[in-house]
Amino acid sequence: MERTNKSLISTVSVAVISNFLILYFIFVQISGVNSISEDWAKVQDQSIRIAINLAEVERDFGYVGFIHHFKNYIIRRTDSYYLRAVESHKDVSEALNNFKKHPALSQSDLQSIRVLENTLSEYKAKLELAREYPVDYQIDELDNIVRVNDLPAANALGQLRADILLD
């Protein structure tokens, strides 16, 4: 009987230890899954913030943004369009500054942002140049004087879009 009790105690001990090991293994697995879930949520959140910032840059740069107001000023030459262009310039500059603060951006992304900043600066300089010409100056001629090659900026925006969609 003593041998049976020892055998039973050994069996129960092994079963209890095995159950604790299984519970510990399950706990470790659940903790790992939770950690992966939290990391994934952070990555998603960061990707969403980057996409939102890119959309702000595109909106502030383009239609109903800086370039839109710039062109309206060149065509109509009123102070209200000039002031809208200046305000839009501030908006897009701020959007670019916010955008480049994201730690997940690559060197290629940062280079694309620099291209956008350079193009924006060139447009701003041309806006100020246009302001020096008389209001009745020939629109076609003024447009040629203040023309900006924005193809590099368009390519930079396309590259940023592609990078963000691939991440």
Side-chain angles (χ1 to χ4, degrees):
M1 176 108 168
E2 189 177 309
R3 190 161 203 229
T4 306
N5 282 342
K6 283 184 180 180
S7 183
L8 182 60
I9 291 173
S10 294
T11 303
V12 169
S13 296
V14 167
V16 168
I17 291 171
S18 296
N19 281 331
F20 278 123
L21 288 173
I22 290 171
L23 286 174
Y24 176 75
F25 177 76
I26 290 171
F27 174 76
V28 168
Q29 292 302 310
I30 289 172
S31 295
V33 168
N34 285 341
S35 177
I36 290 170
S37 234
E38 289 170 8
D39 290 347
W40 179 249
K42 287 177 188 173
V43 167
Q44 282 182 313
D45 184 51
Q46 191 172 52
S47 293
I48 289 169
R49 279 187 269 134
I50 289 172
I52 288 170
N53 280 131
L54 178 60
E56 287 172 353
V57 166
E58 288 183 297
R59 181 195 63 231
D60 291 343
F61 221 123
Y63 187 67
V64 192
F66 177 68
I67 294 174
H68 178 82
H69 297 306
F70 173 89
K71 289 294 185 181
N72 279 336
Y73 176 70
I74 299 305
I75 294 169
R76 295 179 181 84
R77 305 300 304 279
T78 64
D79 285 340
S80 66
Y81 283 113
Y82 172 79
L83 294 173
R84 287 181 202 169
V86 169
E87 187 61 35
S88 293
H89 177 268
K90 288 178 191 170
D91 292 343
V92 74
S93 293
E94 184 179 321
L96 284 167
N97 284 330
N98 289 336
F99 189 38
K100 66 183 175 184
K101 289 178 186 174
H102 288 286
L105 294 176
S106 69
Q107 286 302 313
S108 171
D109 295 336
L110 293 172
Q111 178 58 36
S112 292
I113 292 169
R114 281 190 288 279
V115 168
L116 295 174
E117 289 173 326
N118 292 340
T119 303
L120 180 64
S121 293
E122 190 175 349
Y123 266 109
K124 180 67 163 82
K126 297 289 181 135
L127 177 67
E128 298 307 325
L129 177 65
R131 195 134 162 100
E132 295 174 12
Y133 284 82
V135 175
D136 59 350
Y137 198 81
Q138 199 59 9
I139 293 171
D140 302 2
E141 290 178 31
L142 184 59
D143 189 45
N144 285 329
I145 292 168
V146 299
R147 181 162 290 146
V148 173
N149 177 11
D150 54 11
L151 184 59
N155 291 337
L157 280 171
Q159 184 63 48
L160 285 168
R161 259 187 252 112
D163 288 350
I164 288 170
L165 291 176
L166 292 176
D167 285 343

